[in-house]
Amino acid sequence: MKRILIVDDQQGIRLLLKEVFEREGYETWIAGSGREALELTEEACPDMVLMDMKMPGMDGIELLKQLKQRQHDCKVIMMTAYGEMGVIEESMNWGVVRYFTKPFDVFELRDAVSELISD
């Protein structure tokens, strides 16, 4: 079973995405912060990480850097309410495979995950 980690400080988004991906047959983990996500990924990274760019404390770029420094090769999709090209480019340089601007179409996100996770 493929595993997905959803990292977002908004509980509503975490719960919505958890429900969508569990219906698709994925094992889902949720974290409300970058620190919580790092705790969940101490041993191993899931197959896909969906992470918010802007979170209190540790932002998405910092979380991404720490995951990559741990030699984790999980695929990452960044979700952001901010269309800042500089930040998006930096996240792509750190290995983000796609990004979605909030509000996003949950079905487009689901299809992107399905396509990327089966590679």
Side-chain angles (χ1 to χ4, degrees):
M1 180 182 291
K2 299 282 187 174
R3 293 174 300 170
I4 297 174
L5 170 61
I6 300 158
V7 188
D8 199 301
D9 59 322
Q10 294 180 326
Q11 183 179 15
I13 290 176
R14 287 194 310 269
L15 296 177
L16 170 68
L17 293 178
K18 179 177 176 57
E19 184 178 323
V20 166
F21 288 108
E22 284 182 345
R23 260 197 229 143
E24 295 295 313
Y26 298 106
E27 178 184 339
T28 59
W29 305 344
I30 56 174
S33 68
R35 201 161 311 290
E36 189 179 350
L38 286 176
E39 289 173 13
L40 288 171
T41 58
E42 273 185 23
E43 300 301 317
C45 206
D47 301 291
M48 175 69 69
V49 179
L50 306 176
M51 73 170 71
D52 190 12
M53 175 73 74
K54 300 283 186 188
M55 296 179 285
M58 182 185 304
D59 68 9
I61 294 284
E62 183 59 32
L63 173 57
L64 182 62
K65 289 177 181 177
Q66 290 199 33
L67 286 174
K68 295 303 179 179
Q69 286 168 353
R70 290 180 175 184
Q71 306 301 310
H72 287 329
D73 60 352
C74 47
K75 294 178 180 174
V76 177
I77 291 178
M78 192 70 77
M79 302 177 294
T80 178
Y82 310 92
E84 302 169 13
M85 285 314 295
V87 174
I88 291 167
E89 286 174 18
E90 183 179 1
S91 69
M92 299 294 231
N93 290 339
W94 278 96
V96 167
V97 292
R98 289 269 315 259
Y99 75 91
F100 283 82
T101 303
K102 293 178 179 179
F104 51 81
D105 181 321
V106 72
F107 300 110
E108 280 183 38
L109 179 62
R110 178 200 63 196
D111 293 346
V113 167
S114 177
E115 180 184 311
L116 290 165
I117 213 166
S118 63
D119 288 349

